[in-house]
Amino acid sequence: MMGSSCSLIPTKQIEVTAKPMDRTIVQPVMPREIALKDVKWLTVTPDNWEAQLKIIEEQEGELVFLALSIPDYELMSYNMQELKRYITELKDVVVYYREVTTPKDEPTK
């Protein structure tokens, strides 16, 4: 009896098939566009600082200077371009995956 254990029970034939399945992938909502505000830059030089001081005091009531050297301004400009590049590349990746995972019969947004 031990030697034949399961061989006395008839076995069933199992049929295995493979077919593609449609998956529903939830697409994230794209963030709204960046709404930047215009910044007014004043160039203060030794020749025009008194006139600029008068304009600032008339408009704002008090005077505060924030200053950058020219090399630091160039670094700030470089950093802004790097941010723009990164955001653009990141958006391209999101758009690519959205196109790849959206079914062909469904329009992309």
Side-chain angles (χ1 to χ4, degrees), residues 11-23:
T11 59
K12 291 183 184 179
Q13 183 69 22
I14 298 175
E15 186 177 324
V16 178
T17 60
K19 65 177 183 174
M21 294 176 46
D22 291 332
R23 293 182 289 183

Side-chain angles (χ1 to χ4, degrees), residues 35-49:
L36 300 177
K37 310 279 187 202
D38 289 333
V39 176
K40 183 177 179 184
W41 288 84
L42 298 176
T43 304
V44 180
T45 64
D47 297 332
N48 73 352
W49 76 272

Side-chain angles (χ1 to χ4, degrees), residues 48-79:
N48 73 352
W49 76 272
E50 289 177 356
Q52 294 292 349
L53 173 64
K54 191 179 283 185
I55 292 170
I56 293 170
E57 286 179 341
E58 288 172 1
Q59 291 177 356
E60 302 299 326
E62 64 180 305
L63 177 67
V64 175
F65 280 109
L66 303 173
L68 286 174
S69 65
I70 292 175
D72 286 333
Y73 179 80
E74 290 170 351
L75 287 175
M76 184 182 69
S77 176
Y78 172 80
N79 290 341

